[in-house]
Amino acid sequence: MNNPTLDKTSSETYLNNLLKQCQAKSSVIDAEYLQNLQKNAVSQVKELSLPTKRDEEWRFTDLSELYQLEFTAAKSATVSQEIADIFILPETQKSCIVFVNGQYVSELSNVSALSTDIYVGNLSNLSELQKNKIVKYLGKQEGERDAFTALNTAGINDAAVIWVNPNVIVENPIQLLFLAVANDTPTLIQPRTLVVAETGSSVSFVEYYGRLEQCSDVQQNQPYFTNSVTEIWLEDNAQINHSRIQRELADSFHIGKSAITQNQDSRYTCNEVNLGAKLSRHTLQIWQNGNQTETHLNGLTMIDNQQVSDTHTAVLLNHPYGTTHQLHKCIIDGNGHGVFNGKIFVPKPAQVTNATQLNRNLLLSSKARINTKPELQITADNVKCSHGATISQLEADELFYLQSRGLNETDARHLLIDAFAAEILERIPLNSLRQRLTQCVACRTVDA
């Protein structure tokens, strides 16, 4: 697979090979709806092609290095409790489930702090009632079809599930921990997540992707490909606080899709932090399907060396009195390349909308790059909307001011970079996670 342009024949061959690997594992449950979901996805894969820089949505992100690798389905792997505990947050020690190479590990999972009014686990442990209800949600999100999402669905054999019953307020934060254990052969890992918050419920959860080595800067020449899909449903007056952390190793590839549907009076917050992977892409799509919905998107990307990180978001407001506020920041050093494309659609029915979008980028080297394209498409006439982007380096006058107060130049740089990141990190609700990520940013700042 040495052709970086990936012509039609090569694309079909590569997709078929990936599809074979996706179907290599059997499902943990034998259900007709799951088989139908897989069959439909297989048909989609055969109709679609892999994205290249010729595609508008991918024109700044070159996937040719990914396409040069032949991936095989990840095999089950053993992780000790001692290693897992490094990643499990203190607040979620009794409300965390663990997947290793995409497979649920019950021995490492503990949800004893949660009541019976909420289900946190995998597909096989769902009650019969929940298995019947899940048909309405799993694989039912709207949006454009794409090859990577279809591949994930074609190979779906299990999923992390959070299901909150009506009017239940979940006090304990929940952690979904997805760990990768790679080897000398490039491996394909396909996590799947389904979150359903029924009417009047509230829950906070962390979706964490990482490799056994704690630091995402480490390169081991053991490439792997994480292709994740997360579906989130908020019924009327439900509330979800979602923290998505991506800390894959520096020789990995991470492509993720998050699709969220909000009903009337619901409130959704996403705190996204991207630090790892050689190449990462996260597509976040949100549909506001009722009046007075609120969406808050907070994002931080910090990359260096040869890393590429691409964030694509789309918020579709379809009803009156909708609110969406988005702030996404990028810190780019070395030869890093960041991409941000954010779209907010405000059609005519979405009157009295309040929407803001801002992308702020800090470039720390002369070779760092950012392609940013905030978009605001409005046809409604009674709205309050704004959007914009900034690209800057560290300000000389700010450095001078700090140095005049006794700091040396290096410490002054570190302080300004840490403060730039802190505006996002401070919005993460879990104190221990916030501290870990702040320490990680500070460590990278020192190395820079």
Side-chain angles (χ1 to χ4, degrees), residues 236-238 262-268 288-295 317-324 350-353:
D236 292 355
N237 199 35
Q262 296 184 243
N263 283 1
Q264 180 172 325
D265 296 315
S266 63
R267 297 167 298 284
Y268 172 74
Q288 292 192 354
N289 285 351
N291 295 354
Q292 299 187 115
T293 49
E294 292 184 23
T295 305
L317 298 94
N318 298 308
H319 297 269
Y321 303 103
T323 299
T324 178
Q351 300 293 338
V352 201
T353 285

Side-chain angles (χ1 to χ4, degrees), residues 361-378:
N361 303 284
L362 183 61
L363 306 185
L364 301 179
S365 77
S366 59
K367 294 184 179 180
R369 290 187 295 149
I370 180 70
N371 294 104
T372 178
K373 187 182 179 184
E375 299 181 50
L376 189 55
Q377 300 184 23
I378 307 172

Side-chain angles (χ1 to χ4, degrees), residues 247-402:
R247 294 189 65 187
E248 308 273 22
L249 281 198
D251 45 11
S252 69
F253 301 85
H254 182 102
I255 294 179
K257 170 82 169 286
S258 298
I260 296 91
T261 295
Q262 296 184 243
N263 283 1
Q264 180 172 325
D265 296 315
S266 63
R267 297 167 298 284
Y268 172 74
T269 299
C270 181
N271 308 297
E272 175 182 1
V273 179
N274 295 303
L275 300 174
K278 175 186 293 185
L279 184 151
S280 66
R281 158 85 173 225
H282 183 219
T283 301
L284 177 62
Q285 297 179 340
I286 299 168
W287 291 267
Q288 292 192 354
N289 285 351
N291 295 354
Q292 299 187 115
T293 49
E294 292 184 23
T295 305
H296 300 271
L297 306 179
N298 311 305
L300 175 66
T301 295
M302 188 173 188
I303 55 175
D304 60 8
N305 298 325
Q306 304 286 337
Q307 284 181 283
V308 177
S309 183
D310 182 343
T311 300
H312 268 60
T313 67
V315 182
L316 297 91
L317 298 94
N318 298 308
H319 297 269
Y321 303 103
T323 299
T324 178
H325 297 298
Q326 180 176 23
L327 174 61
H328 190 89
K329 290 189 169 187
C330 298
I331 303 172
I332 308 173
D333 201 358
N335 291 296
H337 179 199
V339 179
F340 173 79
N341 183 276
K343 301 176 182 177
I344 298 178
F345 298 92
V346 188
K348 197 156 188 174
Q351 300 293 338
V352 201
T353 285
N354 183 357
T356 62
Q357 180 188 75
L358 178 61
N359 173 223
R360 296 186 61 199
N361 303 284
L362 183 61
L363 306 185
L364 301 179
S365 77
S366 59
K367 294 184 179 180
R369 290 187 295 149
I370 180 70
N371 294 104
T372 178
K373 187 182 179 184
E375 299 181 50
L376 189 55
Q377 300 184 23
I378 307 172
T379 53
D381 51 16
N382 182 15
V383 298
K384 182 181 179 181
C385 298
S386 65
H387 73 300
T390 64
I391 302 173
S392 63
Q393 298 176 323
L394 293 176
E395 297 291 342
D397 57 343
E398 293 178 350
L399 288 169
F400 175 78
Y401 175 82
L402 292 174

Side-chain angles (χ1 to χ4, degrees), residues 387-433:
H387 73 300
T390 64
I391 302 173
S392 63
Q393 298 176 323
L394 293 176
E395 297 291 342
D397 57 343
E398 293 178 350
L399 288 169
F400 175 78
Y401 175 82
L402 292 174
Q403 288 177 267
S404 70
R405 294 298 184 269
L407 295 179
N408 60 42
E409 182 179 0
T410 300
D411 289 342
R413 283 174 55 87
H414 296 168
L415 184 61
L416 291 174
I417 296 169
D418 292 348
F420 185 86
E423 186 177 6
I424 300 298
L425 297 180
E426 288 173 352
R427 303 183 186 191
I428 294 175
L430 278 74
N431 184 55
S432 65
L433 179 59

